[in-house]
Amino acid sequence: MIPITKSRLSLWASEPSRLAQHQSTKNPPSTADYVIVGSGFSGASLAYHLSCQHPKAKIVLLEARDACSGATGRNGGHLVPEYIKHGQFEKRNYDAIYQLITEHNIDCWTNEKGERGWLILKSLKEYQDANRALEHNDYDLRLYTAQQAARKLGLESYNDIHGALNIPSSPINPYRLVNWLLERSIAHGVDFYTHSEVIDIDDRTAGKVGVTVKGKGQITADKVILATNGFTNLLSIPRLPEIKPVRGQVVRFEVDEKSLKVPLTNGKVSIGWGDEYLAVVPTKTPGKVSVVLGGLRKTVPGYEVGQIDDNTVNPEISGKLLQFAKDRFGINAAPVEEWTGIMGFPQTGVPYVGQIRGYNGGLYIMGGFEGHGMTRIYETARALSENMETGSWPSWFPEQYQYTAHPPSKI
């Protein structure tokens, strides 16, 4: 069962959306063309693409808790493409999201052109791979040695890094972006139901998929898509691929902008540091900025694998985050708030996207983005929408993501 108790709010969700507890009608309809389970970035992107492509289709979106209350609404607030390993596809996502935001003037802190961030390179191999990535001039990357990076970023030390990439990237308020997608999807005719937990999926009706919603009956649909990421395997039904829940933890500080040595653009910057990440965003108080720092789960026993409670924090990680902020960035302020979110890690290391065997050919999955979904999900949802209609994948969609009865090998 998904934790339903009152959850810790992240910075992004500190002003709840008017859709937080939305119910399109008293109960969901008994039939639908598409049922999407989960209202994070994956579910909202799917609802948006499907409703744009199929305006007459009956689309139902179900969420067990408040709207966008899972990992998306609790992440580190980054829109940072992984240019080294997956450059072309992640740049495609970054460009598509940026175009959407600017075209519709979505207020999520990512609408200023030319913003740049940083990827810290922790090993010699990462530095060498980054150097090869420079061959792609359309990525607009700038490579710095460790000493140059420390000077640019005002780092307290640089003995354990090998350099840094300066890249097109930005902090983002994911909660605001997802709620815009949800609002637009509802305007297109999508029925959205929060506090509607799916407890079973079956194939008892010929050619259809049955979705049982706790306390609200059953929906019979042509196609059902699980966009439940780290909570996927809490739904105990056969033939689902394994996606391990992994808890990430984030802390926020509020500091004087002038006290930070990190260079900011419009009061913002995004920095990736291996498994750790830092975002700086404006506050409502003039001269103050929020510093959002997450990661360090690999410094504690068990790496937070298997944890599904996003209402609590790990005090050991809390202490390590405070020390990291002090040692790396000279931040001595007390934290303002702290929160956790449940990520989804697939067994293969590659997201699962596509049709699941059985279920009358109508059950699909989209999940397992390992805490790096913001620059993968939007165009993945577009590709899956096309695949469900045509049976084929667009040529630009990574073959590794395409799930079959035999899961793809790890890249």
Side-chain angles (χ1 to χ4, degrees):
M1 178 179 292
I2 297 174
I4 299 294
T5 57
K6 182 174 175 58
S7 302
R8 285 176 176 264
L9 290 176
S10 68
L11 168 64
W12 324 120
S14 57
E15 297 177 357
S17 162
R18 66 181 184 86
L19 299 178
Q21 299 185 17
H22 185 83
Q23 304 285 323
S24 289
T25 56
K26 184 177 180 180
N27 284 306
S30 59
T31 61
D33 297 310
Y34 298 92
V35 172
I36 302 166
V37 185
S39 71
F41 194 24
S42 292
S45 294
L46 277 166
Y48 178 71
H49 286 305
L50 283 170
S51 62
C52 287
Q53 295 169 8
H54 307 288
K56 295 183 180 180
K58 184 65 175 176
I59 303 169
V60 175
L61 177 60
L62 301 173
E63 168 59 53
R65 304 189 291 186
D66 282 4
C68 193
S69 58
T72 301
R74 302 160 178 268
N75 68 25
H78 294 267
L79 190 62
V80 182
E82 172 47 273
Y83 290 101
I84 299 175
K85 293 182 180 179
H86 311 285
Q88 291 184 349
F89 181 61
E90 297 212 10
K91 183 178 186 299
R92 179 189 177 94
N93 275 270
Y94 179 82
D95 291 345
I97 293 170
Y98 184 81
Q99 181 180 350
L100 180 77
I101 290 170
T102 53
E103 182 179 334
H104 297 282
N105 196 28
I106 304 171
D107 180 17
C108 57
W109 298 338
T110 312
N111 52 0
E112 285 92 357
K113 191 172 184 179
E115 291 188 358
R116 302 184 67 85
W118 297 85
L119 283 177
I120 302 297
L121 307 170
K122 298 176 65 176
S123 69
L124 178 60
K125 183 180 185 304
E126 286 181 353
Y127 186 88
Q128 293 169 338
D129 290 344
N131 200 33
R132 282 190 288 272
L134 293 178
E135 298 173 5
H136 297 276
N137 293 328
D138 58 333
Y139 290 174
D140 190 18
L141 311 179
R142 303 166 194 169
L143 182 62
Y144 294 90
T145 65
Q147 188 174 11
Q148 291 170 332
R151 193 163 52 245
K152 288 276 187 182
L153 290 169
L155 300 179
E156 297 291 309
S157 65
Y158 59 90
N159 293 332
D160 59 347
I161 69 172
H162 285 261
L165 268 181
N166 182 248
I167 61 174
S169 68
S170 173
I172 188 170
N173 186 318
Y175 186 78
R176 290 184 186 175
L177 175 60
V178 166
N179 275 282
W180 184 91
L181 291 168
L182 292 174
E183 287 185 352
R184 190 55 59 97
S185 298
I186 291 169
H188 292 169
V190 172
D191 286 342
F192 179 36
Y193 300 88
T194 61
H195 295 269
S196 299
E197 183 181 359
V198 173
I199 56 175
D200 191 30
I201 293 177
D202 67 73
D203 55 5
R204 291 190 288 269
T205 302
K208 303 288 184 179
V209 182
V211 178
T212 302
V213 183
K214 186 176 181 179
K216 297 183 178 181
Q218 187 174 71
I219 308 171
T220 302
D222 293 330
K223 292 180 172 64
V224 175
I225 309 97
L226 300 179
T228 43
N229 206 30
F231 293 124
T232 297
N233 293 112
L234 295 183
L235 187 61
S236 299
I237 63 173
R239 296 186 291 276
L240 286 184
E242 183 179 12
I243 299 178
K244 290 185 178 296
V246 178
R247 188 169 63 188
Q249 189 162 321
V250 181
V251 64
R252 179 173 77 92
F253 307 90
E254 193 168 298
V255 301
D256 292 329
E257 181 175 343
K258 292 181 179 179
S259 71
L260 287 179
K261 298 177 182 178
V262 177
L264 307 179
T265 302
N266 300 318
K268 296 179 287 184
V269 75
S270 181
I271 301 173
W273 195 305
D275 290 324
E276 285 63 66
Y277 38 88
L278 178 142
V280 180
V281 296
T283 70
K284 294 180 179 179
T285 305
K288 296 280 190 178
V289 292
S290 283
V291 179
V292 179
L293 173 66
L296 295 174
R297 65 178 182 82
K298 291 185 177 180
T299 64
V300 300
Y303 296 178
E304 298 289 270
V305 175
Q307 298 290 341
I308 62 168
D309 184 359
D310 53 13
N311 297 301
T312 59
V313 299
N314 183 324
E316 187 176 353
I317 295 178
S318 298
K320 291 176 182 293
L321 287 169
L322 294 183
Q323 196 64 46
F324 189 93
K326 180 179 179 180
D327 293 346
R328 299 298 187 181
F329 300 100
I331 297 172
N332 292 294
V336 175
E337 60 185 331
E338 200 167 5
W339 64 86
T340 54
I342 309 304
M343 305 175 286
F345 279 62
Q347 198 171 24
T348 59
V350 186
Y352 296 133
V353 186
Q355 190 179 59
I356 294 174
R357 186 176 66 244
Y359 298 97
N360 295 319
L363 183 60
Y364 293 76
I365 190 169
M366 178 177 160
F369 292 95
E370 298 189 323
H372 191 66
M374 293 306 299
T375 51
R376 296 178 179 178
I377 285 172
Y378 185 71
E379 288 295 275
T380 294
R382 187 194 305 273
L384 181 56
S385 297
E386 182 175 322
N387 175 264
M388 287 190 291
E389 180 181 10
T390 67
S392 60
W393 296 100
S395 59
W396 46 263
F397 187 61
E399 184 178 354
Q400 304 99 312
Y401 287 21
Q402 299 168 23
Y403 181 75
T404 65
H406 305 285
S409 60
K410 185 173 182 178
I411 42 178

